[in-house]
Amino acid sequence: MTKKWSKRKVFRTVWFSLVAILFIWNWNTFQSHNLPENTFLDSDVVSVIETDDEISFKSITSENELEVVFFQGGLTDPKAYAPLCRKIAENGFNCHLIKMDWRLPQYDYQKVFELIDLNGGNFVIGGHSQGAKMAAQLVYENPNVFKGLFLMGTSHPRDIDLSFENIPCIKLYADYDGLASVEEVMENKNKLPKGSKLILINGGNHSQFGYLGKLLMDSSPVISLEEQQKQTYNNLILFIDRIKSDI
């Protein structure tokens, strides 16, 4: 009897240890990794302000009226998107990186109205993964508020239809994305605003849209993080610049 109990105890200990290791490993992939050293430092062109609810990257040298709102992915560390937001600000556009409570955009996305006077300015909104989903949801719920919508690494909009919305939209997707496959992206293409531009990041995956670890179920990329970030940034800036010229 004692021997059986000991075997059962050993089995349970090993089992729970493996579960704990898997949880810690998985959680670690959602953290930000290898951020550039200057990400949160003020410079001659960018001022960084961090609060409990957002990280704002303010352009010092530009007086562009157009600003950017960025929604983090689900469970991901919002700081993983800070390098991209900083580069947007360096190009002359104030960028607001919103921190979601419990890192869950689907429950906290409307807080942005408490943080920013979205009706009193010109804003482009978007995000990554679940953050992109909820940015699309916000546009759906608040037509005519935003000047543009960008979506990164997501199959959404899936449960809503934006095809009748008159808003510039860009979707960036990757062929090695294990969480939002090319097939899933194409399935919902007809729900995007008319005239939306879809851009494939060849060799990219889901995780490298941010400075993250390789997320569970994601595929391995064949391009570097730096290359995927560069392509993402270049396409977003072209998109934002076109909207600016139309304001």
Side-chain angles (χ1 to χ4, degrees), residues 18-19 24 30 34 45 74-75 84-85 102 108 113 126 138 150 153 157 173-174 188 215 230:
L18 290 174
V19 170
I24 293 171
F30 285 98
N34 303 315
V45 294
L75 296 180
L84 177 60
C85 292
W102 302 102
D108 206 33
F113 281 106
L138 204 63
F150 63 90
Y173 62 107
N188 300 313
L215 300 174
K230 177 183 176 181

Side-chain angles (χ1 to χ4, degrees), residues 4 19 44 56 69 89 114 118-119 221 244 246-247:
K4 285 186 176 181
V19 170
D44 293 338
S56 295
V69 176
E114 302 171 8
L118 296 174
N119 292 297
K244 181 188 72 172
D246 294 334
I247 293 178

Side-chain angles (χ1 to χ4, degrees), residues 43-62:
S43 72
D44 293 338
V45 294
V46 173
S47 173
V48 184
I49 303 171
E50 182 172 2
T51 68
D52 291 338
D53 294 303
E54 71 171 298
I55 306 173
S56 295
F57 295 87
K58 303 286 187 181
S59 173
I60 296 174
T61 59
S62 175

Side-chain angles (χ1 to χ4, degrees), residues 127-137 149-162 169-174 177-193 198 206 209:
H128 174 228
S129 193
Q130 194 178 90
K133 173 187 175 181
M134 301 322 297
Q137 181 71 33
L149 171 67
F150 63 90
L151 308 170
M152 298 162 42
T154 182
S155 60
H156 292 272
R158 185 182 64 203
D159 308 319
I160 58 174
D161 188 353
L162 294 177
C169 177
I170 187 173
K171 172 176 274 194
L172 304 177
Y173 62 107
D177 191 324
L179 285 81
S181 68
V182 173
E183 181 181 4
E184 290 173 314
V185 169
M186 291 301 129
E187 282 178 0
N188 300 313
K189 180 180 178 181
N190 64 338
K191 295 182 179 180
L192 290 167
L198 280 75
H206 192 83
F209 279 114

Side-chain angles (χ1 to χ4, degrees), residues 85-131:
C85 292
R86 181 187 179 93
K87 288 185 72 66
I88 291 172
E90 289 175 345
N91 204 70
F93 302 98
N94 293 341
C95 189
H96 306 268
L97 174 55
I98 307 301
K99 299 178 179 179
M100 303 293 179
D101 290 347
W102 302 102
R103 298 187 180 183
L104 296 174
Q106 73 267 40
Y107 300 121
D108 206 33
Y109 69 103
Q110 293 183 348
K111 74 185 290 182
V112 68
F113 281 106
E114 302 171 8
L115 302 174
I116 306 169
D117 182 13
L118 296 174
N119 292 297
N122 298 309
F123 294 90
V124 174
I125 190 168
H128 174 228
S129 193
Q130 194 178 90

Side-chain angles (χ1 to χ4, degrees), residues 40 66 129 197:
F40 302 105
L66 191 63
S129 193
K197 188 172 184 180

